[in-house]
Amino acid sequence: MVSPEGFPVCSSCGLVAQELIFDWSTPPDGDVKGRIYLGGWEEGSIITNPPLGGSRVSERLVKLNIRVKYGGGRSADREVFRELTVICKALGLPREVCEHAFIIYRKLVRVLRDVVAGRRVTHFKVAAAALALSSRSEGRPIPPLKIAKAFRARGHLVSPSDIMEIVHLARRRGGVPRYTTRDMLRLCAAVLAKLGVKVDEAVVRDAEEVLHAVPRHYVSGRDPHLLALAALYLVLKRRGVSISYYRLARITRRATSSVRANVKLLEKLLHMREVAVALS
DNA sequence: GGGCGCCTATAAAAGGG
DNA sequence: CCCTTTTATAGGCGCCC
């Protein structure tokens, strides 16, 4: 079944089942029975409030769960997890974003092991960078300044440049996947596919072409995910597949006007390009 | 650090099925 | 309700002081 936070959990034991959901579409329906391992480190549940009924799980059980899942003792990870939970809540982020950030945090710590021991790069700065990356991979990037403020509100000395520095460092070491235009398009395509809108590889390629054809400076500053979405919309429309702005926006949890604005912009730019080509 | 203008994303509303 | 389009507003970012 699906927890109120949109988390697939086992109906009988409450363990998180199935891959975490990071896209914007609605979670899958139906029961998931039994225990499923998620990449090796998820050994328990961190469902702090039971998905069924209103009774709270005991504090002791919650602590036990966290210890089992994230390692015993007073590890830095536990502290980070707690802070991430509070900060994500303050930022109004759903639990899966927090979870994802924590997964990335652990990866970053592993990649930057030698640096994190130092004074300049603290665990919390890494956690802040992880939050930036998780929100980015999810298609809803949170500006480093906003993250830094949220961390500072909790007393952590985190600046936007700290976040950017750590991301840069980890990227140079190959610890951070690069999100290309194609990745973003695939992400959008996967969301559409769940709604029965067929998006094959050729469509993705065409959309990629559209985005590459557009001069950078015309679209700088715009949300790349919205642009990717708009490109997909255009390509689909060109192929006679009709989706409304309304539906597209609802699926992706965006505003219809933003989707439309980006589509119109791309249309305009493509038209300008055609004219330029015709004149040359 | 503000104050200011520019720009984007979004919510809300308007208006037509 | 489903959809498109317009309008108003919030919030970011750079720039200037």
Side-chain angles (χ1 to χ4, degrees), chain A residues 184-202:
Chain A
M184 283 186 280
L185 286 169
R186 289 233 174 85
L187 193 63
C188 292
V191 175
L192 292 181
K194 280 190 182 174
L195 253 127
V197 181
K198 280 258 161 67
V199 183
D200 55 25
E201 201 60 25

Side-chain angles (χ1 to χ4, degrees), chain A residues 12-45:
Chain A
S12 43
C13 62
L15 288 178
V16 179
Q18 199 177 321
E19 197 58 59
L20 301 180
I21 298 173
F22 302 134
D23 65 40
W24 326 303
S25 67
T26 48
D29 231 3
D31 286 1
V32 184
K33 297 267 186 202
R35 181 172 182 165
I36 300 173
Y37 287 93
L38 304 176
W41 62 271
E42 293 85 353
E43 283 291 310
S45 163

Side-chain angles (χ1 to χ4, degrees), chain A residues 24 139-141 223 225-226 229 249-250 252-256 258-259:
Chain A
W24 326 303
R140 305 298 290 254
D223 188 327
H225 290 88
L226 269 174
L229 202 60
R250 278 202 32 180
T252 54
R253 301 196 187 160
R254 293 286 187 162
T256 54
S258 348
V259 177

Side-chain angles (χ1 to χ4, degrees), chain A residues 104 108 111-112 115 121 125-136 142-144 147 159-179:
Chain A
I104 292 176
L108 289 184
V111 171
L112 305 172
V115 196
V121 179
K125 289 181 181 183
V126 176
L131 187 54
L133 287 173
S134 73
S135 65
R136 215 180 284 178
I142 304 167
I147 295 175
S159 71
S161 53
D162 285 333
I163 294 173
M164 291 190 276
E165 184 192 357
I166 291 170
V167 169
H168 181 70
L169 205 58
R171 179 163 287 156
R172 277 176 45 145
R173 295 186 181 192
V176 179
R178 263 225 175 271
Y179 290 105

Side-chain angles (χ1 to χ4, degrees), chain A residues 26-248:
Chain A
T26 48
D29 231 3
D31 286 1
V32 184
K33 297 267 186 202
R35 181 172 182 165
I36 300 173
Y37 287 93
L38 304 176
W41 62 271
E42 293 85 353
E43 283 291 310
S45 163
I46 53 150
I47 299 296
T48 48
N49 42 349
L52 287 171
S55 66
R56 288 192 62 81
V57 170
S58 79
E59 283 289 311
R60 197 189 63 78
L61 186 58
V62 170
K63 282 182 182 154
L64 194 65
N65 266 328
I66 292 174
R67 200 170 313 148
V68 166
K69 189 168 184 179
Y70 303 125
R74 290 181 293 111
S75 68
D77 285 1
R78 263 184 75 187
E79 299 298 319
V80 166
F81 181 77
R82 216 168 46 194
E83 286 301 296
L84 265 180
T85 306
V86 174
I87 287 164
C88 284
K89 203 168 197 175
L91 289 171
L93 301 171
R95 192 209 302 266
E96 61 260 30
V97 175
C98 181
E99 283 264 339
H100 192 192
F102 189 74
I103 293 171
I104 292 176
Y105 156 78
R106 294 195 115 211
K107 203 177 283 175
L108 289 184
V109 167
R110 209 158 48 233
V111 171
L112 305 172
R113 194 184 298 272
D114 53 315
V115 196
V116 177
R119 205 163 288 176
R120 230 156 60 78
V121 179
T122 66
H123 282 83
F124 291 107
K125 289 181 181 183
V126 176
L131 187 54
L133 287 173
S134 73
S135 65
R136 215 180 284 178
S137 77
E138 195 208 0
R140 305 298 290 254
I142 304 167
L145 179 64
K146 201 169 178 179
I147 295 175
K149 275 184 181 164
F151 272 78
R152 272 210 291 274
R154 296 285 300 173
H156 306 295
L157 288 174
V158 178
S159 71
S161 53
D162 285 333
I163 294 173
M164 291 190 276
E165 184 192 357
I166 291 170
V167 169
H168 181 70
L169 205 58
R171 179 163 287 156
R172 277 176 45 145
R173 295 186 181 192
V176 179
R178 263 225 175 271
Y179 290 105
T180 61
T181 307
R182 188 174 300 180
D183 293 331
M184 283 186 280
L185 286 169
R186 289 233 174 85
L187 193 63
C188 292
V191 175
L192 292 181
K194 280 190 182 174
L195 253 127
V197 181
K198 280 258 161 67
V199 183
D200 55 25
E201 201 60 25
V203 173
V204 171
R205 204 154 303 159
D206 280 4
E208 202 178 0
E209 209 169 288
V210 166
L211 289 176
H212 282 312
V214 167
R216 284 288 166 83
H217 58 277
Y218 281 111
V219 292
S220 68
R222 306 190 93 94
D223 188 327
H225 290 88
L226 269 174
L227 282 168
L229 202 60
L232 277 181
Y233 177 91
L234 274 182
V235 172
L236 285 172
K237 193 175 160 194
R238 203 182 284 167
R239 296 183 175 219
V241 182
S242 69
I243 343 161
S244 66
Y245 294 129
Y246 180 80
R247 267 222 303 162
L248 199 57

